[in-house]
Amino acid sequence: MQTSAKYRTTEDLVIDIVVYTVMIIVMIATLYPFWNILAISLNDALDTIRGGIYLWPRKFTLNNYRVILSNPDIYHATLISVLRAVIGSITNVLSCLMVAYAISRKDYIFRKFISRVIVFTMYFSGGLIPTYLLMKNLHLVGTFWVYILPGMVSAFNIIVIRSYIDGLPQSLIESAKIDGASEYRILFQIIMPLCLPVLATVTLWVAVGQWNAWFDTFLYNSGKPELSTLQFELQKILQSVQSASTNPDFSASLTSSGRTVTPTAIRATMTIVATLPILFVYPFLQRYFIHGLTIGSIKE
């Protein structure tokens, strides 16, 4: 029975004050960096060099956003990033779910062996050059599928989903088998609906990873503008601005279409542009994320 409010002791009050104070400090420490970046992105680029931008822009402007959004390649690159995030998330979640279900079955004789192989891949990899040669031999270099196929299976995601499945009542599977259900029907009509929290969690992880990826574009599709991603285009803009900042005539070199920009301002603007789509998606998955992350990491 919970203690009534009128019987609260001084110790309870002190604990509440300490807890709320710590949580407020953590909240401020979490939100302030993002808020500061937003203020810098909305401040005049040359004025930002003076420093002193903390909570509010000193000279409000949208020029930093105009410089980035005036790039015609940004919009097609955004479409590619959205496609790879959506397709990559769906294929990864389905693949990891099927593998996790298979190795969660105690009657599967290769269960332990495959589990060890999966864990082994978390600690050792072939390296960058062998991976590139593999992608080239598979004829994936220069194609959209180089974003999807190499990331279809994730060892960590498989372990998280398997741990969640292990916590489900085994009687559900046994009852379904008695009723004549096939393995696919058990997986997609019984297990999958019960795993929605952990699947939503994994989906968010994969979507964020796919959305933020740029190095694979640099490795495999840097010569294919039609397959360029948003993060790669933003990286190119930042590099061009940083290259311009090394010229002797600083102000002239940092002028793009009549708008003065600096690496600091462009970097802050890039962060906001790249983060906002994920911030819009996160609230829809938040309740699943918290529940799935908690239960998926603890086996009953």
Side-chain angles (χ1 to χ4, degrees), residues 65 80 83 105 114 128 193 215 231 247 259 280:
Y65 289 92
I80 297 297
L83 288 176
R105 296 294 302 272
I114 294 181
L128 183 61
F215 191 62
Q231 307 296 340
N247 292 341
R259 307 183 185 100
F280 287 128

Side-chain angles (χ1 to χ4, degrees), residues 29-45:
T30 303
L31 294 179
Y32 174 73
F34 184 80
W35 186 266
N36 178 252
I37 290 175
L38 178 62
I40 293 175
S41 70
L42 294 173
N43 193 70
D44 180 73

Side-chain angles (χ1 to χ4, degrees), residues 2 8 17 25 42 72 79 133 136 158 160 172-173 238 246 284 290 297:
Q2 296 182 352
R8 292 176 63 83
I17 293 175
I25 293 175
L42 294 173
L79 175 62
L133 294 177
K136 184 177 180 181
I158 290 174
V160 171
L172 294 174
I173 299 177
L238 178 60
T246 61
F284 297 99
I290 296 174
S297 59

Side-chain angles (χ1 to χ4, degrees), residues 158-189:
I158 290 174
I159 293 174
V160 171
I161 297 175
R162 187 198 64 181
S163 299
Y164 192 97
I165 295 176
D166 287 340
L168 298 176
Q170 292 297 314
S171 57
L172 294 174
I173 299 177
E174 296 172 359
S175 299
K177 293 185 70 174
I178 292 174
D179 292 337
S182 64
E183 296 291 349
Y184 287 104
R185 186 171 185 180
I186 294 174
L187 173 60
F188 291 108
Q189 294 189 5

